[in-house]
Amino acid sequence: MTLLGMPTVPAQLTRDMGNGLTFTAGHHFALDPALEIDMFLERLFGPLSVIAQITKRCNFDCNMCSETKMLPDPTLKQLERMRDNLAGVPRIFLSGGEPLLRRDFGDIVDMFADAGHVLAVPTNATKGLQHARRMAGKVAFANIGLEGPRATTNRVRGDYDEVMRGVRALQGAGIPLSLSAVVFRSTLDTLQFTCQIGDVLDVGKVKFILPLRKGNALDLDENEFISEDEAARAFDRLLDLRSVHDWRPALRMTTWTPENEGHMIVVEPNGLTNAWPVYDAPDLFEPLGNLLEEPVSEIWKRYRFKRNHVMKYLGRSIRTAGREVKPGA
Ligand code: SF4
């Protein structure tokens, strides 16, 4: 069953996804401006984007990591079942934990790429060299977690030099990149360096996100969580610097407002599928069903954050700037 049209042009370029939806070179979705959101929502029989955790394991222990609960990895057979039940979803994140820790990651990429999804891989890149060749031409973009300069990345996330070795391997194989950084009070001064690194690497987008109170982040000093106003000022400052320095990547900043609640759909390694983050739910996960047992179109029917999902992935409930999306659009 097809929920939306499948991509018609190569991974690095803008893709027409059908139904007025485009996947842009800034690695996000855009909707034909003539289409009303409500009309678009009525046409949707499943999500625009799903995060599939193919492992919970990781070789880093970032101080904001939400995914600290361990579960066995899904087998290839189980992943095949999930893939079948995700048919028609425009974009799939093959996520973790750290997805490149799976030795069979190349087989998993093949499995999902053959189904025609836009494939995105959030990764710390440390195993980039091992997997770059199998990802090339099949992964639309790898989203690298990087908190800017070496000292900050080493403190917050993990070994900067190891990450950058992987980044070079992925880029050398021609895989488009994006960067993703978590914003703490103690990293506010480094956001501009993340943008500069993103510009040097010619990434599609630099994405900033505030930490969620889950997993390792529960141990963060309260002072590390900035307010909505502070986030707005930080983003405005980046916009000013962007025009001074002529940074090219799209910029995005996600904060945890009511409009963004539950906007992600996360499939855990055991198939349990959740709306995330649901602010008053245990572990911020609201269970929706099990993807090993039913198609995502059934799960979508009982998902109560459809509007938040669409608005966020169209960049309308977060701060954005880029060649494709105007600030405040
Ligand atoms: S945030 Fe990502 S890279 Fe860091 S420990 Fe968690 S899964 Fe690993």
Side-chain angles (χ1 to χ4, degrees), residues 79-142:
L79 285 169
E80 259 171 20
R81 172 76 64 86
M82 291 185 198
R83 186 243 0 235
D84 292 347
N85 281 338
L86 287 169
V89 174
R91 180 177 64 186
I92 308 285
F93 282 95
L94 294 177
S95 182
E98 173 46 54
L100 302 195
L101 284 189
R102 285 195 62 141
R103 295 215 169 128
D104 54 4
F105 186 68
D107 298 333
I108 298 170
V109 167
D110 287 347
M111 180 194 297
F112 280 83
D114 289 348
H117 308 283
V118 169
L119 283 189
V121 178
T123 174
N124 63 31
T126 53
K127 302 291 178 193
L129 190 57
Q130 287 89 325
H131 295 291
R133 192 181 53 79
R134 297 278 305 268
M135 293 164 69
K138 297 188 171 174
V139 168
F141 69 101

Side-chain angles (χ1 to χ4, degrees), residues 56-62 64-67 96-98 123-124 157 216:
K56 290 267 194 187
R57 294 178 289 124
C58 190
N59 52 347
F60 276 4
D61 187 23
C62 305
M64 82 314 262
C65 183
S66 57
E67 293 313 304
E98 173 46 54
T123 174
N124 63 31
R157 193 171 280 272
N216 285 349

Side-chain angles (χ1 to χ4, degrees), residues 134-312:
R134 297 278 305 268
M135 293 164 69
K138 297 188 171 174
V139 168
F141 69 101
N143 189 63
I144 316 293
L146 186 84
E147 269 66 42
R150 182 179 286 105
T152 309
T153 295
N154 284 343
R155 175 174 68 81
V156 171
R157 193 171 280 272
D159 190 321
Y160 172 94
D161 294 297
E162 218 183 320
V163 172
M164 292 309 281
R165 269 195 294 278
V167 164
R168 283 189 279 273
L170 295 170
Q171 197 157 51
I175 298 161
L177 303 179
S178 279
L179 296 184
S180 183
V182 179
V183 180
F184 307 97
R185 189 179 306 284
S186 66
T187 63
L188 278 172
D189 289 344
T190 69
L191 306 188
Q192 58 190 306
F193 298 116
T194 309
C195 292
Q196 180 63 40
I197 293 169
D199 193 66
V200 169
L201 292 172
D202 195 22
V203 303
K205 71 180 167 193
V206 179
K207 192 170 81 168
F208 296 106
I209 186 165
L210 271 60
L212 280 160
R213 294 170 194 273
K214 183 178 172 185
N216 285 349
L218 293 171
D219 296 329
L220 283 172
D221 190 307
E222 191 56 33
N223 191 47
E224 288 286 34
F225 294 88
I226 64 169
S227 67
E228 191 60 30
D229 284 351
E230 288 171 300
R233 283 198 295 277
F235 195 73
D236 287 347
R237 168 92 178 123
L238 289 177
L239 293 188
D240 290 345
L241 290 170
R242 182 174 196 263
S243 72
V244 170
H245 298 298
D246 194 18
W247 294 326
R248 300 297 170 84
L251 293 187
R252 309 203 118 195
M253 183 182 277
T254 300
T255 59
W256 301 114
T257 60
E259 292 73 30
N260 287 328
E261 183 170 20
H263 76 262
M264 289 175 272
I265 296 179
V266 179
V267 183
E268 295 189 87
N270 55 8
L272 284 179
T273 303
N274 307 277
W276 148 260
V278 179
Y279 302 145
D280 60 358
D283 243 5
L284 309 183
F285 270 166
E286 181 171 290
L288 299 168
N290 192 313
L291 191 68
L292 288 171
E293 294 163 7
E294 59 184 340
V296 74
S297 51
E298 290 301 310
I299 289 172
W300 178 252
K301 286 180 190 163
R302 61 181 89 97
Y303 176 54
R304 66 188 175 100
F305 298 100
K306 293 184 183 73
R307 193 177 183 85
N308 288 5
H309 179 89
V310 166
M311 293 295 275
K312 196 277 176 182

